[in-house]
Amino acid sequence: VTFEQVIGSKADAAIYDPTTSTASILARAKGISTAVNNPTITSATFAYADIAGEQTIFTLSPAAGQVWNVFYMEFDIDALTQNAMLRIDKRIDGATFRTLSEYTILSGSEAHFVSEHFAVDNTSQLRVIIERFAAEGAARSVPYRVYYHRLV
């Protein structure tokens, strides 16, 4: 094994493929740097039904072999007229979800931001749930955005 095979070269870093387990240290560092500086941003609008109780806003589940670092989420909650609870759950054993964080959302707020780090792979889905304690009187739209890096 040569020094260049382990550490890598400028050319090796330029053709980094994160799915290759034999990538050099330099190639892997280049891949991590690219991921950190270029996060993936997913956005959508959740249709919040006019019922009390829990509703799943979204579930994140990377493809097999991938690991994501979810580091920031934002929710436009301006349309809500009732207080609610935002909960972030993670599947821990292939079936069971455990609560990682809970946030109280007060009516009249314009936005809610979550700035925490959650490592997620294809066996540990991340689920975001909103629970309201009274009906809104009408369905509401809750736009959201999720920022993450693919680590592997």
Side-chain angles (χ1 to χ4, degrees), residues 67-140:
V67 178
W68 296 351
N69 173 34
V70 179
F71 66 94
Y72 185 75
M73 293 178 260
E74 58 188 29
F75 303 88
D76 182 347
I77 54 174
D78 186 47
L80 301 184
T81 61
Q82 302 291 325
N83 294 346
M85 177 72 68
L86 186 70
R87 191 175 79 225
I88 300 169
D89 295 342
K90 184 176 180 180
R91 188 171 68 177
I92 59 167
D93 63 2
T96 308
F97 280 90
R98 294 285 185 250
T99 299
L100 301 177
S101 298
E102 288 184 337
Y103 305 92
T104 300
I105 297 173
L106 301 176
S107 62
S109 301
E110 292 181 4
H112 185 81
F113 306 99
V114 175
S115 182
E116 294 188 51
H117 290 265
F118 304 103
V120 185
D121 63 23
N122 66 306
T123 65
S124 62
Q125 293 178 328
L126 193 71
R127 178 175 67 184
V128 177
I129 292 175
I130 192 163
E131 180 179 5
R132 69 176 152 201
F133 309 106
E136 287 276 339
R140 306 283 185 212

Side-chain angles (χ1 to χ4, degrees), residues 8-63:
S9 67
K10 191 174 187 178
D12 184 33
I15 56 169
Y16 172 71
D17 178 359
T19 63
T20 303
S21 62
T22 59
S24 69
I25 294 170
L26 185 59
R28 290 205 176 270
K30 171 71 173 174
I32 291 168
S33 174
T34 299
V36 167
N37 293 314
N38 299 297
T40 300
I41 302 169
T42 300
S43 59
T45 299
F46 173 66
Y48 199 13
D50 185 29
I51 56 172
E54 293 184 359
Q55 296 177 52
T56 300
I57 297 177
F58 63 85
T59 301
L60 294 177
S61 184

